[in-house]
Amino acid sequence: MDFAIPTHILAIMDRLEDHGYEAWAVGGCIRDSILGVSVHDWDLCTNALPQETAQVFCDHRLVLAGQKHGTTGVVTEHGVVEITTFRSEGDYTDNRHPGWVRFESHIEADLARRDFTVNAMAYRPRCGLADPFGGQSDLKNQILRTVGQPEARFQEDGLRILRGVRFAARFGLTPEPKTLQAMCDLAPLLALQARERVFSELCGYLPHAKVQDLLLFAPVLGEAVPALKPLYGFLQHNPHHIYDVYTHTAHVVEGVPPTLPLRWAALLHDIGKPQTFTLDQEGIGHFKNHAYVGSKMAWEILTELHAPTALREEVRNLVAFHSLTRDMARYPQDKPIRRVLRRLGETTLRNLIALDRADDGGKGTCSDPAPFDRFEEHLNQILAQHPCLTISDLALGGKELMAAGIPQGPILRKLLHRLLAEVGDGILENDPQILCSRALALWKEIEPCTNQNK
Ligand code: ATP
Ligand code: MG
């Protein structure tokens, strides 16, 4: 097995070895090397104590913040390389953190604390591969297996359950039966984990998610995002849908491109359905306003998970407006497309088309991508004309309107938006003089109303 360890990492390992210590590359970098995928982090471990490691690299800048837990960061021109003293951990009283950490002198003790066999391998150039738990054969057979008893390992740290989902999806691994059973049985432990860590694991998982693992790990995902639970088995009572809401959702998640806004929006797009369900006299199910209700729920779910604002806003918009482009795609027309473009912007509109495509394709009945293709073509034509999409695209701004006598304040903004709407709809030419006289005329029209309202 050839581990293509970069030279600056090898130099650090050699230096430790030359001082009489063992130096091992460990964890994800070994797993990824065996799989032949690119390695993004080379983590090292050693039998040198943290202060000994610091001594060996005393001519380097060091990051010492993690020394209590055994980690020394050595600053190189290629970034910080982390070297951690072999350690074991125990006494996880809160299902999250070890009560104690002990430094060890053998690599096997360090590998035993790691979560999954595929992550519990290490390589030492002078010695070879250390693989006491059969990680290499599990990788070959595409099996996800905990190091040690799965219940005990998940009880120690509940987040490992979600890490397992992420690794399984990312590397196409199937959990062995006991590991799967424990993941599902102990999934309620996820409620005890910090929400930002749950969010970060879900963000690592979603781009790799496939129908198969969304269904297999449904009990886990339902504990990570409890609002998903009512979707399980929820029948749609609609001849166009052969799947329950959750299975349909799984198809939509796999069907959208693997970006975070789209994967999150796909996961949450029908979250408002159970709450809005009604059955008509013909026995057909309806979900009036489910997009609006769902968008509010999506916002709350992502807020609770401490998601960044930009992601929350994009997902909220995508959930709120899903189906819009499907409806518009039947008869794509210039004006409505321009309006949606102004309202949502190009990126969101393109995301919306991708979501609606996947939504349509995920019903399990015959779907036709042609209307979406036509819609996209129409959109491309509109964009090629460099249309006015925001007030900053107008040929005149607030400054010019103020110079023409219009006072600063809400009226100014209102007028600019009216001008934008008219230019965008093609009613008005984007010319400074034309815009100015139109603004003055509109001001006269609006002002009496404004005064009345005062
Ligand atoms: P990635 O490519 O996602 O970074 P990784 O395997 O490097 O994958 P990290 O989270 O960077 O994952 O952790 C590095 C290593 O530390 C893991 O390979 C694993 O051996 C160990 N590890 C990390 N988190 C845990 C945990 N919660 N419990 C046990 N071992 C863990
Ligand atoms: Mg890593």
Side-chain angles (χ1 to χ4, degrees):
M1 176 72 51
D2 176 32
F3 292 94
I5 305 179
T7 42
H8 73 286
I9 301 287
L10 271 179
I12 288 182
M13 296 176 88
D14 281 343
R15 165 102 66 117
L16 277 167
E17 295 274 351
D18 291 346
H19 280 75
Y21 301 111
E22 292 179 21
W24 298 80
V26 66
C29 59
I30 300 306
R31 177 200 64 216
D32 293 349
S33 298
I34 292 175
L35 285 172
V37 301
S38 72
V39 173
H40 63 87
D41 254 340
W42 288 89
D43 292 325
L44 302 182
C45 62
T46 179
N47 57 347
L49 290 169
Q51 56 277 27
E52 293 172 330
T53 304
Q55 188 56 41
V56 171
F57 295 98
C58 60
D59 56 339
H60 282 64
R61 267 183 54 216
L62 299 174
V63 181
L64 300 174
Q67 284 239 309
K68 212 174 84 189
H69 303 109
T71 303
T72 307
V74 177
V75 182
T76 73
E77 57 186 41
H78 302 282
V80 179
V81 178
E82 292 198 334
I83 306 169
T84 304
T85 304
F86 298 154
R87 62 175 202 228
S88 56
E89 303 167 339
D91 200 13
Y92 291 80
T93 43
D94 60 356
N95 308 105
R96 288 161 70 163
H97 305 106
W100 55 257
V101 172
R102 189 172 61 216
F103 295 136
E104 299 281 350
S105 43
H106 297 289
I107 182 70
E108 287 74 16
D110 184 89
L111 295 175
R113 75 173 166 89
R114 295 174 184 268
D115 47 7
F116 298 99
T117 58
V118 296
N119 290 344
M121 291 181 276
Y123 175 71
R124 184 182 176 201
R126 300 185 187 190
C127 180
L129 187 71
D131 180 18
F133 305 104
Q136 201 176 6
S137 107
D138 280 347
L139 260 192
K140 188 162 157 258
N141 298 314
Q142 297 185 290
I143 292 172
L144 181 81
R145 187 195 311 272
T146 51
V147 170
Q149 287 301 316
E151 298 84 15
R153 302 311 311 281
F154 294 138
Q155 239 141 19
E156 288 174 354
D157 176 0
L159 199 74
R160 288 175 187 156
I161 299 170
L162 215 44
R163 284 174 60 83
V165 172
R166 171 159 72 85
F167 290 122
R170 187 160 142 209
F171 301 115
L173 309 178
T174 304
E176 60 84 30
K178 279 190 183 153
T179 298
L180 178 63
Q181 189 67 45
M183 286 169 89
C184 296
D185 290 350
L186 296 174
L189 290 175
L190 288 173
L192 306 175
Q193 307 303 312
R195 297 304 278 162
E196 43 274 69
R197 293 183 74 198
V198 169
F199 173 69
S200 146
E201 286 301 331
L202 288 170
C203 288
Y205 162 61
L206 280 174
H208 304 283
K210 298 232 170 0
V211 174
Q212 201 186 322
D213 40 72
L214 282 153
L215 297 181
L216 184 67
F217 296 120
V220 175
L221 297 168
E223 295 300 331
V225 182
L228 290 174
K229 282 195 224 176
L231 310 187
Y232 301 163
F234 199 100
L235 297 178
Q236 316 225 27
H237 298 275
N238 184 309
H240 298 298
H241 275 278
I242 63 164
Y243 300 128
D244 67 275
V245 181
Y246 184 74
T247 308
H248 162 69
T249 296
H251 280 87
V252 182
V253 172
E254 183 177 329
V256 293
T259 65
L260 280 182
L262 273 170
R263 288 287 166 116
W264 272 107
L267 185 71
L268 302 177
H269 81 286
D270 275 349
I271 203 104
K273 274 193 169 174
Q275 270 187 37
T276 54
F277 176 70
T278 54
L279 202 60
D280 69 17
Q281 283 169 343
E282 274 83 52
I284 303 288
H286 298 277
F287 303 94
K288 200 159 174 267
N289 278 340
H290 79 273
Y292 174 71
V293 170
S295 72
K296 293 184 92 166
M297 291 172 73
W299 178 265
E300 279 161 22
I301 290 165
L302 289 172
T303 303
E304 201 254 333
L305 286 167
H306 303 275
T309 309
L311 180 73
R312 280 187 288 158
E313 285 176 350
E314 180 69 354
V315 172
R316 179 177 59 182
N317 276 339
L318 293 174
V319 175
F321 293 107
H322 82 269
S323 301
L324 179 74
T325 70
R326 184 200 61 200
D327 297 339
M328 290 173 76
R330 287 198 199 114
Y331 311 102
Q333 282 176 320
D334 229 59
K335 233 189 230 179
I337 299 180
R338 283 171 187 269
R339 282 189 186 156
V340 185
L341 245 182
R342 289 201 299 277
R343 170 87 171 75
L344 299 176
E346 182 189 344
T347 308
T348 305
L349 183 53
R350 289 203 188 275
N351 277 340
L352 209 50
I353 298 170
L355 177 61
D356 287 345
R357 256 185 207 279
D359 193 7
D360 201 49
K363 290 186 168 66
T365 53
C366 184
S367 73
D368 180 13
F372 293 104
D373 295 341
R374 280 198 302 275
F375 185 91
E376 237 167 354
E377 213 173 284
H378 208 111
L379 174 64
N380 291 340
Q381 281 166 11
I382 292 175
L383 286 166
Q385 296 160 17
H386 305 291
C388 237
L389 297 180
T390 68
I391 46 179
S392 61
D393 295 329
L394 287 170
L396 139 165
K399 236 203 255 162
E400 288 84 353
L401 290 187
M402 273 153 59
I406 297 170
Q408 200 171 9
I411 184 71
L412 194 71
R413 253 197 107 59
K414 195 168 180 176
L415 286 170
L416 285 166
H417 278 285
R418 287 283 294 269
L419 293 178
L420 175 65
E422 293 187 4
V423 173
D425 281 352
I427 302 170
L428 205 62
E429 201 184 322
N430 194 11
D431 168 275
Q433 268 175 3
I434 295 175
L435 292 183
C436 189
S437 39
R438 179 63 183 145
L440 290 168
L442 280 171
W443 184 30
K444 268 193 203 135
E445 256 175 48
I446 295 169
E447 211 44 329
C449 306
T450 322
N451 290 338
Q452 269 171 25
N453 289 343
K454 272 181 191 167

